[in-house]
Amino acid sequence: MSDLFDIEEAKVQSEKIKRIVFLEKLIQKYQKSYYDGEGEISDAEFDKLWDELKSLDPANSLLKRVGQDSGNFEKVKHIMPMGSQEKAADPEQFHAWASKHIYDEYLVEYKLDGASLELQYSHGQLKRAVTRGDGTIGDNITANARRMQGVIQLLAQEDGKIIDFTGGIRGEVIMTHQVHDTKFPDKANCRNAANGLMKRKDGAGSENLTFITYDVWATEGEQPFKDEEEKIAWLRACNFKTVPLKICHSPDEVIVYRAQVMEIRKSLDYDIDGLVVKERFINHEDASRAHPDRQIAFKFSLEEAVTIVRSVEWSRNGGTYTPVALFDPVELAGTTVQRASLANPDTMRALGVKIGCSVVVVKRGEIIPKVESVVPDENSVFESVVFPATCETCGTPLVDEGSRLFCPNKLCPKRVLHQLLKWIQVVDIRDFGDTLVNSLFKSGKLTSITDIYSLTPGDLIPFFLNEESIAAEKESLGAVKVINSIAAHRSMSLAVFVAGFDIEGIGETTAEKLVNAGFDTLDKMLAADESQFAAVYGFADVMAHTAVEGLIENAQEMRSLVSSKTISIVSQSSGIFAGMSFCFTGELLTMKRADAEQIVKKNGGVCKSSVTKALTYLVTNDTSSGSSKNMKAEKLGIKIIDENSFLKLAGI
């Protein structure tokens, strides 16, 4: 058996190696196109490839290289090594970095989206301009650089006195949006256009580029500044163009500033793709490393954007009203988004959302976008969000508990209908469709969960047959099918029973946590107080409150259904599958996997999605296959049975 595991492990390792080789080739290809001035993908897309390679092979030599340059120019060694900064793609990643880098002040600069360039000076005179290259050696493009805006040939003070500086000055070569739009609209973006022009042999077009500085290091004498703030001031005094500098006093202040910059980003005349965060102290040793640790690139993400809230509407789900922000459309992870849930009144109030304010909207791989924060703006007055006061269905005054805004009327038609639909979904009465439920509800034949189990074929026939067929006393097979389906769903676990009552936030998984915590009978569940529920893992005060409140509200019908034996609650300690767990894998022949799992649950068993030591049975119609689940089950001594054997165990 160990040989089989070795084979499986070898397969996994082989696929991993193939993926690493593929990523290496792809990254090198995109690096070449980037450094040749024709980048094929965005920085964010490139970062994803880079991060995947880093996760698969952290020691990969490609991660230690910066890039490459063309072979058209003389090679020159840098004065300041141009390493690759650590990066954070979102506030969570930045907080993780900041927790290990606690500074009194965080000095924050724009991260320019251009091409790195180092100007080398001797006693104030420009001698060479060197591209990034591999981080240590780059191309000498001095002739082209001399034609760029912002490149100073001779460093001098306002009075004309030469500044005796020998060393390197680093910055970024960019193309402004205005230049791109008027002279190079055929180029994909400003960065590609700038890369292409700065490396032309004939130097044509270099005058359309601009050099913006952010770093300096003197190789002779003392440094002409004491810290990072003075460094920027010295560059400005030398008449260089510089990036703005913001001094923040906490990681949260950096995050707020990032949101503000995201908001004005489109109004800038040049591209930036994030912020660079440093400490005040100049740490030259760290900056000289291939991957500096004391500073970080806090990048903007394709999965977040800043937009303006135009209105807030209230989405209704049963009796609960949820605020939803409607805002100017933004692109998030390739999709256009213009609305996002605000969760509940307390969340909306804590965020400070108002009509007209700017907000950071995030997606980060989630299906549903959300508003993460409000961009501070002390100079504007915004309109407050208006809360609905009464239920739009029954007119009952709404209750604002902070964590939810809801209609307290249990008999509210909207709430009743939602509960009926929820019960049928959770209990899995598949032949009882939503359209039929709505029709029965409107007719008055269905007003409670109890009513579902008192329906007869005669009640349903008018909804399946026309008047002529009814007059001819024809039987409705559809009506009979629904009644049979209802009858087949009178036995269920306590977790399914409770989840079917549509209590806010209490689904089957949540209810199972209560059952597993010892509230394993209906009486125990109904007798519990909030403090007891709050002590259950995965619960908190708010969820405990809504659970107890919902159980009290539905207690009478719950007890009635059980005492009348309309519903039979199968205990995990009394069903034929009590104490057993099942994992289904592969295709079943006589039923869907969901149906098989329902059989397990109705008989007191538990379903698992993976093979573990505690598993009782692995169910598969290919018991001799070499699948990973089969092999793991054999290794752990777990019984492997086929579908027919499972049905026999269930008494079917």
Side-chain angles (χ1 to χ4, degrees), residues 419-458:
Q419 186 182 59
L420 291 169
L421 293 169
K422 183 73 171 183
W423 176 269
I424 289 164
Q425 175 200 341
V426 172
V427 176
D428 200 26
I429 309 175
R430 296 188 183 180
D431 296 309
F432 206 164
D434 289 0
T435 302
L436 179 58
V437 174
N438 276 279
S439 298
L440 287 166
F441 177 73
K442 289 178 182 177
S443 72
K445 290 185 178 294
L446 198 58
T447 60
S448 68
I449 292 172
T450 302
D451 286 346
I452 294 174
Y453 294 91
S454 61
L455 290 171
T456 66

Side-chain angles (χ1 to χ4, degrees), residues 333-354:
T335 60
T336 301
V337 176
Q338 51 189 1
R339 57 190 292 126
S341 172
L342 292 166
N344 56 56
D346 268 357
T347 298
M348 183 173 68
R349 283 188 279 255
L351 287 168
V353 173
K354 294 187 177 182

Side-chain angles (χ1 to χ4, degrees), residues 530-547:
E530 292 183 23
S531 63
Q532 290 174 303
F533 278 178
V536 175
Y537 177 77
F539 273 69
D541 291 343
V542 171
M543 187 180 291
H545 172 72
T546 56

Side-chain angles (χ1 to χ4, degrees), residues 346-355 357-359 373-374 382 385:
D346 268 357
T347 298
M348 183 173 68
R349 283 188 279 255
L351 287 168
V353 173
K354 294 187 177 182
I355 310 303
C357 73
S358 295
V359 294
S373 61
V374 171
F382 302 114
V385 175

